Amino acid sequence: MSAELESDDPLPGEKPARPPSVKQLSKTPSWIMLGFVIGAVFVLSLRRDPEVVYVREEVALPSPSPAAAAPPQEPDFTVLEAVFAEWQSYAVWDADVTEVALWDSDLGRYARFYEVLRAPSREGVAGGALTFYYRSIPALTRPVVTRGVSESLPLLFTEPDVLREAWLRQRDEETWSAIQESIRKLSAPRENE
């Protein structure tokens, strides 16, 4: 019986249905088609640049003449000693060794790198004093301390990788715990509602 109702054939005694006239048809599909055609024509009319392919070319820079290059300055340990004496509280020690970078005002950056060794003073010196030994190095080999120090210090201090990893792990744990706490607060049922 349902097959009979789904049929498009007219029932006995009824006139066959005529297709709707053009005036009765919706104009919406025509406007959509017109919009599509105008958009396609617009896209095709846009100016296309030829495909640009970037190729990395290595260019050899001329080496500066020896006369033009400033001679590397000898390490000035007196300046380092004075600056380190003022800012040594920021040093992070690993087996009584740390590394620092000293600001070079001529170059406008941290360009002088030193390793500092601390040792107890020899007997006869006021009790518990420390002696610092300095050695210039070509570059820092440890990560620079970025927390708890001002960016305007004349020295950059370093820390051992183990301490950096422990700090990063602690920071991640604190972040996750703060996120979990905020989720608990947001998902907790509210009594006022």
Side-chain angles (χ1 to χ4, degrees):
M1 186 166 171
S2 64
E4 293 174 4
L5 294 178
E6 291 177 7
S7 166
D8 288 338
D9 295 335
L11 293 175
E14 285 187 12
K15 294 180 181 178
R18 297 172 97 195
S21 68
V22 176
K23 290 182 181 179
Q24 293 174 334
L25 291 177
S26 172
K27 306 291 188 247
T28 304
S30 300
W31 286 108
I32 292 173
M33 186 63 163
L34 179 66
F36 178 77
V37 170
I38 290 174
V41 169
F42 177 75
V43 168
L44 292 175
S45 69
L46 291 176
R47 188 182 89 212
R48 291 186 183 174
D49 291 335
E51 188 174 324
V52 178
V53 177
Y54 294 99
V55 178
R56 178 179 242 164
E57 183 178 334
E58 295 190 25
V59 177
L61 297 174
S63 60
S65 65
Q73 296 181 355
E74 290 296 318
D76 187 4
F77 292 108
T78 56
V79 172
L80 175 64
E81 288 174 0
V83 173
F84 190 80
E86 181 72 25
W87 301 100
Q88 69 179 329
S89 62
Y90 292 100
V92 179
W93 300 94
D94 180 32
D96 290 331
V97 175
T98 190
E99 294 177 356
V100 295
L102 181 64
W103 180 262
D104 189 336
S105 27
D106 294 337
L107 298 175
R109 60 185 169 95
Y110 294 97
R112 297 179 181 201
F113 308 106
Y114 301 95
E115 182 180 68
V116 182
L117 171 71
R118 71 176 174 184
S121 293
R122 295 184 180 162
E123 294 180 33
V125 179
L130 294 172
T131 302
F132 297 104
Y133 297 97
Y134 306 96
R135 175 176 77 105
S136 82
I137 55 177
L140 297 176
T141 60
R142 301 175 180 180
V144 174
V145 175
T146 56
R147 64 192 184 286
V149 294
S150 170
E151 293 179 13
S152 62
L153 292 180
L155 283 176
L156 287 181
F157 294 92
T158 62
E159 63 184 342
D161 290 324
V162 174
L163 288 178
R164 170 61 63 110
E165 291 169 7
W167 174 72
L168 290 174
R169 205 171 21 261
Q170 177 187 2
R171 187 185 68 177
D172 289 346
E173 289 170 2
E174 290 172 357
T175 301
W176 276 114
S177 122
I179 290 172
Q180 290 171 345
E181 182 65 26
S182 66
I183 290 172
R184 275 189 223 111
K185 286 180 181 177
L186 290 174
S187 63
R190 298 185 184 185
E191 297 177 17
N192 296 341
E193 293 181 14

